[in-house]
Amino acid sequence: LVELKFSKKNHYCLQVKGRSMHPTASEGDECVVESVLLRLEAYDEQRGPADKRAWLRLHKEVVCALVNEGEPELKRLYVEEGDRDTGFTMYLRGDNPASKIILVKKDTSLAIVGIVRRVMRDPRRFEP
């Protein structure tokens, strides 16, 4: 018997393009993504998003995000609550140190459409 961990109803697979998430996920890897929809409705750089708890739970998760209604991005989401002087910081960053940071500002449109639950690598494309 095989334990069912992922269902077609709540999960989908996507193939990684690019190297921004290397070494966590390399180009050609397939990811099992849990389907979610979390939109950033109101964001204040001093107080944070309207629903702080939902966003704080996603801190350091690898997510599939739509930034400013562009192409889907596979990035790690950082949600940090600072002190009174520094406010609240949200940004997306790839695990590859060469990847650019996408800083979430007041005018940024952000939607999280999935959370990566598993990365599957083809052993024929293994990179040490």
Side-chain angles (χ1 to χ4, degrees):
L1 297 174
V2 177
E3 181 183 343
L4 179 66
K5 291 189 179 200
F6 307 110
S7 70
K8 288 182 181 180
K9 181 179 175 184
N10 299 325
H11 297 83
Y12 57 92
C13 285
L14 61 83
Q15 190 171 42
V16 177
K17 304 278 187 216
R19 297 187 50 85
S20 70
M21 286 304 295
H22 184 77
T24 304
S26 298
E27 187 158 3
D29 289 351
E30 292 188 6
C31 296
V32 176
V33 180
E34 181 181 353
S35 183
V36 299
L37 181 56
L38 185 59
R39 290 188 183 280
L40 187 61
E41 299 298 334
Y43 180 71
D44 182 325
E45 292 164 12
Q46 294 302 312
R47 289 182 289 165
D51 185 1
K52 285 184 190 179
R53 279 186 248 138
W55 289 93
L56 285 167
R57 280 192 300 271
L58 291 176
H59 179 59
K60 292 189 177 180
E61 291 278 2
V62 176
V63 297
C64 184
L66 300 174
V67 180
N68 295 326
E69 299 176 20
E71 293 293 314
E73 303 255 0
L74 195 64
K75 304 281 187 215
R76 195 171 298 275
L77 177 66
Y78 292 87
V79 183
E80 299 170 352
E81 197 167 6
D83 58 26
R84 256 175 95 165
D85 297 331
T86 59
F88 207 92
T89 306
M90 288 178 64
Y91 59 94
L92 294 155
R93 187 180 82 195
D95 288 349
N96 183 339
S99 70
K100 67 176 184 152
I101 293 174
I102 302 169
L103 193 58
V104 177
K105 295 282 197 180
K106 192 173 193 167
D107 59 344
T108 304
S109 167
L110 177 65
I112 304 300
V113 295
I115 303 169
V116 174
R117 296 300 184 201
R118 176 152 306 155
V119 177
M120 298 177 290
R121 182 162 294 156
D122 184 343
R124 293 172 291 184
R125 290 183 289 101
F126 176 73
E127 284 183 46

